[in-house]
Every structure is written in structure tokens, then in C-alpha cells.
Amino acid sequence: MATRTFFLDVDTGIDDAFAILRVAAEPGAEIAGISAVAGNVDVATAARNTRAVLALAGAGGVPVHVGATAPLSGAPADAREVHGGGGLGRAVLPEPPGAA
């Protein structure tokens, strides 16, 4: 099977957490990096959630880059009412190692 390389752009709430886990578990898939942006939660929380999900998946070495802190147009909004205060519903993941 050929290796498929991915670069993900996420605002890691519940949906993106599942997407990261799915790609990390896929045989032949390589995650080259991930950019975390504001959206479901603020950018710092999105980056933290991304790193925590990668650590859970055993892929803690994937680089996470902090991206946009707000939309390019329009007022910033989040989806904490859907994704919870921490962005991952009721999931509580350990603090990930390293930094974005």
C-alpha cells in the first residue's frame, strides 16, 4: 500500500478530534503536520486539543502549528455550546507534552 500524506487544518472540537484519530489510525497514512485555528474554540484551546488528541493516538511527534486567531472576515464566534467549554465535549485528556 502506498503512503498517503496529509496536512490537516482544524479547529479541534469533537468532530476534528475524530477526524485526527481516524487519519492517525489509517494504515499507510502519514500526517505531515496540522494547523490549528480558531473556530469551535479559541486558537490556543484548538492547538492544545489537537496536541492532546495526537498524543492519545500515539502520534505526538506530529508538528502542530498555530494558525488564524479569528476569521478572515466577519466577527469571531465559537461553538462551545455544541463542543463544550474545552471543545471536546465531556472528554478530559491529559495535558499534552511539548508545545505547538
Side-chain angles (χ1 to χ4, degrees), residues 80-92:
R80 290 178 193 267
E81 70 279 357
V82 174
H83 296 273
L88 295 176
R90 294 180 188 214
V92 178

Side-chain angles (χ1 to χ4, degrees), residues 12-14 40-42 45-46 48-49 78-91:
T12 304
I14 298 166
N40 290 325
V41 292
D42 63 89
T45 303
R48 183 250 178 235
N49 288 350
D78 66 33
R80 290 178 193 267
E81 70 279 357
V82 174
H83 296 273
L88 295 176
R90 294 180 188 214

Side-chain angles (χ1 to χ4, degrees), residues 3 13-14 17 24-25 28 39 48 50 52 54 64 79-81 90-91 93 95:
T3 299
I14 298 166
R48 183 250 178 235
T50 302
L54 286 167
V64 175
R80 290 178 193 267
E81 70 279 357
R90 294 180 188 214
L93 298 180
E95 192 61 33

Side-chain angles (χ1 to χ4, degrees), residues 3-66:
T3 299
R4 293 172 294 160
T5 303
F6 295 86
F7 188 94
L8 305 175
D9 182 52
V10 298
D11 59 348
T12 304
I14 298 166
D15 54 339
D16 290 331
F18 279 110
I20 293 165
L21 290 169
R22 174 68 176 90
V23 174
E26 180 66 25
E30 173 192 0
I31 303 174
I34 299 181
S35 60
V37 299
N40 290 325
V41 292
D42 63 89
V43 72
T45 303
R48 183 250 178 235
N49 288 350
T50 302
R51 292 177 18 255
V53 170
L54 286 167
L56 177 69
V62 172
V64 175
H65 305 276
V66 177

